[in-house]
Amino acid sequence: MGPGRNIASVTPIVFADIEAKECLVKLFPREASRPNILQFYLELRNSSKALVDVELKEILVKNHEKILSGHIRRISKGRYEVEVRKSKFKGLKFFVQNKSIKHQVVIYKNAVRKKSSLIILSDENYRMKARLILKDKNDAALEVQQPPEIIFMGLGSVTEPVMIETGVWEFDIEYPEENQIIYISARVNGVLLERLLRFQHVEK
């Protein structure tokens, strides 16, 4: 499986030999719009358990010895997103630097709308600070490897969310001096949490 894309990361690239037993693979929830695509999160570490990078061509996904085509994207140091065209996980094997990643795949849990919430921490001078709390069906903090996508409906803009702790993210909202109703949703691990917040601004 060759590299389909390689988006530059702000973190420096540190090439090194991996230790297979220290690496892991996680499966993202399947997107309903792409039922034949599997997306994985790959974390690579060396014998000292430090995150390390490899050449994208050194990452292979096989199905009964056949190398699958797809896309690979470096997220940050030692962390990669791997996407393959296949409807079932059974039979897939991951190889990095010709070493088999034998860890059992961990499946990401989905965020649940009624367990999650979005609250306003402050609102001053047309700028709000918001806190997004993500939980699964068991009311446990949701682990994600990529920041949630904040979907803003209204006049204004939002900053990139920053993780405060597992399952808790904060971001800022700027809006103009104009009467309006703002709706904010979030997409997390492929799941849409619609209209977590409704905010009405009335000019005085």
Side-chain angles (χ1 to χ4, degrees):
M1 177 171 143
R5 53 194 170 112
N6 184 17
I7 298 177
S9 171
V10 295
T11 57
I13 297 176
V14 181
F15 293 116
D17 291 333
I18 69 154
E19 179 63 52
K21 66 180 181 180
E22 301 297 343
C23 302
L24 64 82
V25 179
K26 291 188 178 183
L27 177 63
F28 285 110
R30 190 188 303 274
E31 294 183 20
S33 60
R34 301 197 300 169
N36 294 320
I37 298 294
L38 294 177
Q39 288 182 303
F40 299 91
Y41 164 77
L42 179 63
E43 190 171 279
L44 305 177
R45 296 180 182 273
N46 62 14
S47 57
S48 300
K49 299 185 179 182
L51 289 166
V52 296
D53 290 305
V54 300
E55 297 280 357
L56 295 189
K57 64 184 180 182
E58 295 181 305
I59 301 174
L60 300 175
V61 182
K62 295 184 179 181
N63 181 33
H64 302 298
E65 303 307 316
K66 178 183 178 181
I67 298 176
L68 300 180
S69 61
H71 298 283
I72 304 172
R73 180 173 72 92
R74 180 179 184 268
I75 300 172
S76 62
K77 182 181 177 182
R79 297 184 172 100
Y80 297 81
E81 181 184 87
V82 180
E83 181 181 284
V84 296
R85 183 173 294 280
K86 198 175 187 298
S87 59
K88 295 182 180 180
F89 171 71
K90 186 178 180 180
L92 291 187
K93 293 182 179 180
F94 286 78
F95 293 87
V96 179
Q97 296 176 339
N98 294 319
K99 302 170 186 177
S100 176
I101 307 300
K102 298 183 181 299
H103 273 51
Q104 182 178 1
V105 167
V106 179
I107 300 176
Y108 275 118
K109 295 180 180 180
N110 287 332
V112 174
R113 171 68 176 81
K114 63 182 180 180
K115 298 286 187 178
S116 303
S117 61
L118 180 60
I119 60 176
I120 300 300
L121 299 177
S122 63
D123 181 11
E124 187 176 359
N125 297 325
Y126 304 99
R127 187 181 182 93
M128 293 187 289
K129 179 173 286 294
R131 175 173 291 173
L132 175 62
I133 301 172
L134 301 172
K135 294 188 176 183
D136 62 20
K137 65 179 181 180
N138 297 318
D139 208 32
L142 189 77
E143 179 186 359
V144 299
Q145 294 301 331
Q146 292 180 300
E149 176 190 357
I150 305 300
I151 302 170
F152 182 91
M153 296 179 63
L155 299 175
S157 62
V158 297
T159 60
E160 287 293 322
V162 175
M163 189 175 74
I164 305 303
E165 59 184 77
T166 301
V168 179
W169 298 77
E170 291 185 0
F171 59 94
D172 293 335
I173 305 165
E174 291 188 355
Y175 56 95
E177 302 177 29
E178 187 171 332
N179 294 341
Q180 65 166 320
I181 297 177
I182 294 171
Y183 293 98
I184 299 179
S185 305
R187 191 182 303 278
V188 187
N189 287 352
V191 175
L192 177 64
L193 306 179
E194 194 169 12
R195 294 193 175 186
L196 288 165
L197 178 70
R198 178 187 183 276
F199 174 77
Q200 183 172 8
H201 172 70
V202 179
E203 276 297 296
K204 298 180 180 179

